[in-house]
Amino acid sequence: MRARHLNNVACLISRYVKGSGVCWASPRRRLSPSHYSTLSPTEKPYYVTSPIFYVNAAPHIGHLYTLVLTDVFKRYHALKGKKAILCTGTDEHGMKIQQAAQKDDQDVRAFCNENYKSFDLLAKRADIQYDHFIRTSEPDHRFAVQHFWLMLKDREYIYTSKHEGWYSVSDETFYPQSGIHLALDPSTGRKFMAARETGKEVEWSSEVNYHFRLSSLRDRLLQHYEENPEFIQPSARMQDVVQHVTAGLSDLSVSRPVERLSWGIPVPDDPSQTIYVWLDALINYLTKSNYPFQIPGNEHAAGWPADVHVIGKDIVRFHCIYWPAFLLALNLPLPKQIMTHAHWTLGREKMSKSTGNVVNPFFALDRFGSDTMRYYLIRDGGVRDDSDYDNLYIIDRYKTLQGTLGNLVTRVVRGKGWNVRRAVEFGQFDDSSEGKKHLEVLRELPSAVDHWMVQLQPGEALKRVLEVVNQVCQQCSSVIKVHFH
């Protein structure tokens, strides 16, 4: 059985390589170390990822916030002189995509080919400097997922069983009986079964599919959390995850019968089953780091393990429990950290497409511009707690910035008597107590900013920069008056 699974992998690889029609007879073959002796080890780049976004609906302000966060982390490390890689993209498989295409009376592939464009456009409009924009419908990702599946099966982490439970198409996950309740739609009076965690409708499902032995990895997960206390940020969510895993884990359904879900990646040695969309989606982070083709000695050249996964708090379970478990099963390196940010509300209420209580990010970018929106989202955006979105807040924050940073630049650069040489000489040789004080503040600023960036708190880093700008601005008038008039 084990040899057959490994040979399946070899056959997949041979089909993937253009022009190759030969299955490798010896998939365990390894090239000798001398084969790679001419390859010099490459320094691992900084690798940051956003989640990949479902294409069944238009982008909202939360998508923009996540993208800006990832871009800030990438730019910061590039500023420090490190090669940095940002990966984003779209999740194009699963029941919700299949049903959305059917509702629009479209071919599902054509539906995805059209709808992914709005997320790509959003990234470009917001000046997101991404290196990879992955689509899970692409051939290289399909290969990576099927290879991953066969490796899990080879290690006997996958088995067949009947599964019964409550399935949420919207969340693309099963919920236990304890995780659902009877809900009421206030607008229609309709009663339905819903997930307690998200409020999304669930439906009873009974089917034979493949399962992943998640329960067997409970102790290894807890050990990783204990040895890496900064793994999940902020710490409150780390505590929630540890508590959840400590209470026990059930094995995870990782496929759906093809008669129920046809739009996805087929199980490589069983075309009657489609791979679970979350297993498929999570592997995207590996796909763009050249998995499974990393070169021995240079495995980290494309970035893996990720330095930071940036995600919303609604997908913590998938990224902080399931994803590490999948990787542990194959003894692959885990991401270094996972930043879980909070959500945006509107009028102190949760945003919802069904009620129209959402913010169109393209309208916001059109009205305020990319720089203003990026500044506002980082300044006011919540990591631990939700933040309330309001156009008045955006205007107020921007006007305040104009009055500080804008005023400072205007006073210094356009002031009467301004001279570049004299300004530099003054800054270099000023021995006054006031001059030394300002110099010390500026010297301490990089380390203060770095402290918060390491803590994955860019909003706090920005606040520290603004504090220094305010301090300098307050003293600027008197300094210019004394030395340049």
Side-chain angles (χ1 to χ4, degrees), residues 109-122:
R109 184 172 292 279
F111 178 83
C112 293
N113 286 342
E114 181 62 30
N115 286 16
Y116 93 90
K117 296 176 183 177
S118 61
F119 291 93
D120 190 22
L121 178 61
L122 178 64

Side-chain angles (χ1 to χ4, degrees), residues 222 225 237-248:
L222 290 174
Y225 301 148
R237 293 200 185 100
M238 176 69 149
Q239 295 168 7
D240 292 341
V241 168
V242 171
Q243 183 178 9
H244 181 89
V245 175
T246 301

Side-chain angles (χ1 to χ4, degrees), residues 201-348:
E201 185 168 358
V202 296
E203 58 186 18
W204 181 257
S205 176
S206 178
E207 59 194 41
V208 174
N209 53 28
Y210 288 99
H211 286 64
F212 172 72
R213 300 185 191 277
L214 180 64
S215 59
S216 69
L217 291 157
R218 171 184 173 273
D219 292 343
R220 290 182 66 186
L221 283 169
L222 290 174
Q223 180 182 356
H224 181 76
Y225 301 148
E226 182 178 0
E227 294 175 354
N228 301 272
E230 306 297 319
F231 179 59
I232 302 170
Q233 294 294 323
S235 59
R237 293 200 185 100
M238 176 69 149
Q239 295 168 7
D240 292 341
V241 168
V242 171
Q243 183 178 9
H244 181 89
V245 175
T246 301
L249 296 171
S250 300
D251 287 353
L252 182 67
S253 171
V254 288
S255 74
R256 303 297 306 275
V258 71
E259 60 267 20
R260 293 196 175 184
L261 176 62
S262 59
W263 179 241
I265 297 177
V267 170
D269 53 355
D270 184 358
S272 71
Q273 294 278 325
T274 302
I275 295 175
Y276 176 46
V277 64
W278 269 105
L279 175 56
D280 165 357
L282 289 164
I283 294 170
N284 94 86
Y285 304 127
L286 281 176
T287 301
K288 288 307 180 182
S289 61
N290 294 340
Y291 177 84
F293 297 116
Q294 292 103 335
I295 299 174
N298 274 308
E299 295 93 340
H300 308 306
W304 194 261
D307 290 85
V308 182
H309 287 326
V310 178
I311 65 169
K313 65 179 183 179
D314 55 319
I315 51 177
V316 165
R317 174 160 48 100
F318 307 98
H319 282 79
C320 301
I321 300 177
Y322 298 170
W323 181 223
F326 294 147
L327 293 169
L328 286 171
L330 297 188
N331 291 326
L332 292 173
L334 271 60
K336 295 181 180 180
Q337 286 188 292
I338 302 177
M339 178 201 185
T340 67
H341 65 74
H343 291 165
W344 287 90
T345 59
L346 189 62
R348 303 295 176 185

